[in-house]
Amino acid sequence: MELRTVLVVGTGLIGTSAALALRKRNVRVLLADRDPGAVRLARELGAGEDWNPGTAASDPADLAIIAVPPAYVATELLELQRIGAARFYTDVASVKAEPIHRAAQLGCDLASYVASHPLAGREKSGPGAARDDLFLGRPWALCPTEEADPEAKAAVLRLIDLCGANAVEVSAMDHDRAVAVVSHAPHVAASAVAARLADATDVALGLAGQGVRDVTRIAGSDPGLWLGILSGNASPVAEVLEAVANDLADAASALRAMAEGDGTATGELTQLLKRGVVGHDRIPGKHGGPASSYAAVQVVIGDSPGQLARLFRVCDEVGVNVEDVRLEHAPGLPLGIAELAVQPDAAASLTDALRERGWQVP
């Protein structure tokens, strides 16, 4: 099915990113938001044009994307369907069961509606953080109900394709249980760790390294936005957090025992650490399959313009593909470490090439 015109209601990060991706594929995009400033910024970024609700009935969009918090999806859907804003509808909220249930309660037309959720995002929010490649290669769940029209599903599948994402069909309940494990509970856990830093001493913060930055990175997101997400998926998230809390409580008990000289208390803690390794290794790799084992080449890099470009130019010259890259800054110094993940058989040749060109490789 072709999408000629798409209405985006909600010009935050996800809505504006979808709009930018669609504009890149020459789809006409109409923009709407309760915040005039958000619409204006999205329009200035090239995400589309202002929507005139007065013309909805006479000129409906092919698809409407409802990009609002979970609690408002059903009421927004009802209003859009009432004025005939589009032929088909989807939403991109990060919980699915509650919005679908609420839409049924309100009497929405479930035939023209297929709930969906792109598994993509950033720590930043708002249209200013939007990117046209945000969904590229990312999974995008769609959760059609039994009432859903096949054409409605086809419209959402076309949207996913235009945005460069990978469609994953799943039931609403299975979706919510899955994101509780891989997204929602990890966010709360990261926030709990980051909360410990609020009262940390300057000495502790001065010793902070890449590890704590990795663990707490997502904790910098908008609390109001996340409260809406978590409240819409409260029970599945609570179950995961209770399991995590039990593991942490057992670990704390073992550490207390070890501090008191009990040399037999290491077993349970060791098992938790081993289970962590197993879980980490099950995270899919960059192409969706099992995670690959890469070699890490660390390079000292100056904190000045053009350094990364020079570094990647060496990789290009010797024909080494960089599978991933991480940057770690040295506190108080104008330099840091760039860690390049490469295929194991390419590590030695890249290291030699970098040293020959004057790079410091520890």
Side-chain angles (χ1 to χ4, degrees), residues 75-99:
T75 53
E76 197 69 56
L77 174 64
L78 183 67
E79 177 60 21
L80 291 171
Q81 289 182 335
R82 185 187 67 79
I83 63 174
R87 294 177 60 202
F88 305 112
Y89 304 84
T90 189
D91 76 278
V92 289
S94 62
V95 294
K96 299 276 67 98
E98 181 58 30

Side-chain angles (χ1 to χ4, degrees), residues 256-301:
R256 290 290 184 194
M258 291 165 60
E260 294 170 2
D262 183 353
T264 66
T266 60
E268 204 160 331
L269 185 56
T270 300
Q271 287 305 310
L272 175 60
L273 296 174
K274 288 182 176 180
R275 283 165 47 215
V277 172
V278 171
H280 174 271
D281 290 347
R282 291 195 66 201
I283 299 173
K286 71 173 187 175
H287 298 301
S292 301
S293 294
Y294 299 121
V297 177
Q298 294 186 328
V299 188
V300 176
I301 184 169

Side-chain angles (χ1 to χ4, degrees), residues 305-357:
Q307 293 299 298
L308 276 175
R310 287 183 53 228
L311 180 59
F312 289 138
R313 195 152 48 242
V314 176
C315 298
D316 180 50
E317 290 169 0
V318 297
V320 173
N321 185 52
V322 178
E323 307 289 345
D324 202 355
V325 61
R326 290 179 53 182
L327 295 176
E328 181 173 352
H329 299 283
L333 295 176
L335 53 82
I337 297 290
E339 183 176 283
L340 308 180
V342 300
Q343 293 293 339
D345 58 1
S349 60
L350 178 58
T351 298
D352 291 342
L354 288 167
R355 286 175 173 158
E356 288 171 2
R357 290 162 173 79

Side-chain angles (χ1 to χ4, degrees), residues 214-261:
D214 288 343
V215 171
T216 60
R217 178 181 58 82
I218 56 176
S221 301
D222 179 11
L225 172 67
W226 270 94
L227 182 60
I229 292 171
L230 295 169
S231 62
N233 201 25
S235 291
V237 176
E239 291 176 8
V240 177
L241 290 177
E242 285 164 356
V244 172
N246 288 335
D247 280 341
L248 292 176
D250 290 343
S253 295
L255 290 167
R256 290 290 184 194
M258 291 165 60
E260 294 170 2

Side-chain angles (χ1 to χ4, degrees), residues 67-219:
V68 301
Y72 303 103
V73 167
T75 53
E76 197 69 56
L77 174 64
L78 183 67
E79 177 60 21
L80 291 171
Q81 289 182 335
R82 185 187 67 79
I83 63 174
R87 294 177 60 202
F88 305 112
Y89 304 84
T90 189
D91 76 278
V92 289
S94 62
V95 294
K96 299 276 67 98
E98 181 58 30
I100 292 173
H101 175 68
R102 181 62 177 151
Q105 283 185 323
L106 292 177
C108 295
D109 173 25
L110 297 185
S112 62
Y113 167 58
V114 174
S116 74
H117 174 215
L119 277 296
R122 303 181 67 188
E123 302 84 63
K124 300 177 181 179
S125 59
R131 295 183 351 207
D132 61 17
D133 63 350
L134 185 68
F135 311 110
L136 196 60
R138 301 294 301 168
W140 190 316
L142 70 157
C143 308
T145 62
E146 293 180 358
E147 297 90 340
D149 189 305
E151 281 196 274
K153 179 179 172 181
V156 179
L157 285 171
R158 182 57 178 157
L159 165 68
I160 295 171
D161 179 60
L162 288 169
C163 289
N166 300 320
V168 180
E169 186 170 340
V170 62
S171 74
M173 289 301 298
D174 284 346
H175 167 276
D176 288 358
R177 284 191 288 265
V179 295
V181 174
V182 302
S183 175
H184 299 170
H187 187 95
V188 179
S191 295
V193 174
R196 307 279 69 77
L197 302 178
D199 299 319
T201 65
D202 290 342
V203 172
L205 295 174
L207 295 174
Q210 193 61 38
V212 74
R213 291 186 176 88
D214 288 343
V215 171
T216 60
R217 178 181 58 82
I218 56 176

